[in-house]
Amino acid sequence: MIEIIAGKYNYWIYISLMMIGFYAMIAKGNLIKKIVGLNIFQTAVFLFYISMAVREGSTAPILLSRAHGALTPETATYTNPLPHVLILTAIVVGVSVTAVALALAIKIYRAYGTLDEYRIAKLEQDAE
Amino acid sequence: MVIDFILLFFVVVCAVASVSMKDLLGSVMILGAYSLLMALLWTRYNSVDVAFTEAAVGAGITTVLLIAALSRTFRHEEDPEKPGQSIFPWLTRIARLIPLGVVMLTGAVLIYGTLDMPNFSDPAAPANLHVAPYYIEKSVPETGSINFVTAILASYRGYDTLGEVTVIFTAGICVLILLRRRFHG
């Protein structure tokens, strides 16, 4: 039991972060708040990926020294670089998503004068 | 180890504060602090390139975008008072608890999923054994870059980066089309 907690508590913290973002996305009425929640959710997923790359006693994935490492570096010395690459791409894509979502929010505000989804739904109902 | 735990604690505190704040500008500021703490945490996890990108793009550009959007809209979150009155007030009260239930359920399923995962920082984790050793051993002789992340990003997975650029281009066009103001006479 203690072993499971010691080995996995990191993952559980990431999951709680992810759920905080998820809650903001589905429970908050304000559209900007939803986008903030989306950002928190994204970062929690990134954190999860990055943590999977960590190897006990390893260092950053940059060659320590050409002479020392010769031409075949020791794999166990370095952190797994592959998740880093995937997340580098994902961060930039995440910002693009945020930008488009915010543009949509501004457009909605111009049309309805509010960012609260219940008020928007009410205005839609009244217009019918 | 202790530093990791303190950072994780503050990250969670920032996330809760950012979500629960009524003042949206404050919420966005705390989100910036959250991103910066996340970058620190990633430096602790040896992913220096990702931490750098997060500090510049996540904490920088995202915060600027959010503040720019706030300056064009409304700074405060509206009251949760729902305009539509219900015939049964207790039904709306229960309906407000549904998101919490969904979140709890999803979290429980995810935690159940982690029980099968390798422990944190396990060197024998399957994710570290498949293709990663190849990249670490071959990237210097094959690409000449001493930074393995750069080698993979620009060479082995170059098409990923091309796709990323396509996404940014599409997003830029979307924002331009959405925010264009039409003048009718």
Side-chain angles (χ1 to χ4, degrees):
Chain A
M1 190 66 201
I2 296 287
E3 241 173 70
I4 292 178
I5 294 175
K8 317 267 199 265
Y9 78 90
N10 282 66
Y11 297 139
W12 298 344
I13 296 176
Y14 312 155
I15 288 170
S16 57
L17 263 182
M18 206 189 281
M19 288 305 113
I20 291 166
F22 188 34
Y23 180 78
M25 278 171 76
I26 62 177
K28 296 282 173 182
N30 188 285
L31 295 179
I32 301 274
K33 225 30 178 310
K34 280 178 191 285
I35 297 169
V36 167
L38 181 73
N39 263 298
I40 293 174
F41 192 99
Q42 273 174 358
T43 343
V45 176
F46 300 162
L47 182 57
F48 179 66
Y49 257 75
I50 296 293
S51 82
M52 283 199 293
V54 178
R55 257 191 282 232
E56 194 118 50
S58 61
T59 180
I62 297 167
L63 191 69
L64 285 173
S65 130
R66 263 179 210 277
H68 170 256
L71 285 179
T72 48
E74 275 288 315
T75 309
T77 321
Y78 303 102
T79 309
N80 183 356
L82 189 56
H84 299 182
V85 176
L86 300 179
I87 295 312
L88 273 177
T89 311
I91 287 176
V92 177
V93 171
V95 172
S96 309
V97 170
T98 309
V100 175
L102 287 171
L104 279 170
I106 293 174
K107 191 86 176 166
I108 288 171
Y109 185 79
R110 279 184 196 161
Y112 294 98
T114 178
L115 280 177
D116 189 73
E117 61 172 2
Y118 300 104
R119 287 181 172 78
I120 294 169
K122 187 84 193 308
L123 286 170
E124 280 278 287
Q125 245 174 24
D126 292 349
E128 274 172 17
Chain B
M1 189 68 203
V2 180
I3 291 183
D4 289 355
F5 195 77
I6 293 171
L7 282 174
L8 276 173
F9 175 75
F10 277 113
V11 161
V12 174
V13 168
C14 279
V16 171
S18 172
V19 166
S20 59
M21 238 178 159
K22 284 276 167 211
D23 183 0
L24 289 173
L25 188 62
S27 170
V28 168
M29 296 307 237
I30 294 177
L31 192 73
Y34 165 90
S35 293
L36 212 56
L37 282 170
M38 202 60 108
L40 273 178
L41 197 60
W42 290 345
T43 317
R44 284 282 308 150
Y45 287 168
N46 290 328
S47 58
V48 281
D49 304 81
V50 186
F52 196 76
T53 311
E54 174 70 10
V57 175
I61 296 177
T62 306
T63 313
V64 169
L65 284 176
L66 279 161
I67 291 176
L70 280 183
S71 73
R72 276 164 180 72
T73 56
F74 193 61
R75 182 176 159 170
H76 293 279
E77 196 178 347
E78 290 93 339
D79 287 330
E81 295 287 320
K82 315 231 161 70
Q85 290 106 336
S86 164
I87 317 161
F88 306 107
W90 53 270
L91 205 67
T92 28
R93 222 170 295 142
I94 292 174
R96 270 184 207 169
L97 288 178
I98 290 175
L100 201 65
V102 170
V103 164
M104 291 285 180
L105 194 72
T106 318
V109 171
L110 287 175
I111 285 175
Y112 176 71
T114 60
L115 296 180
D116 279 347
M117 285 192 60
N119 282 348
F120 177 70
S121 78
D122 183 1
N128 294 337
L129 295 179
H130 181 54
V131 75
Y134 176 88
Y135 287 143
I136 291 175
E137 280 160 20
K138 301 282 184 195
S139 68
V140 175
E142 282 185 357
T143 69
S145 163
I146 60 163
N147 185 336
F148 308 136
V149 174
T150 316
I152 300 173
L153 190 76
S155 174
Y156 294 111
R157 292 189 154 264
Y159 284 117
D160 271 17
T161 310
L162 184 67
E164 175 194 335
V165 175
T166 314
V167 169
I168 301 171
F169 181 70
T170 316
I173 294 212
C174 279
V175 172
L176 276 181
I177 291 172
L178 282 170
L179 295 186
R180 185 183 49 183
R181 280 190 188 272
R182 281 195 207 82
F183 294 102
H184 299 289

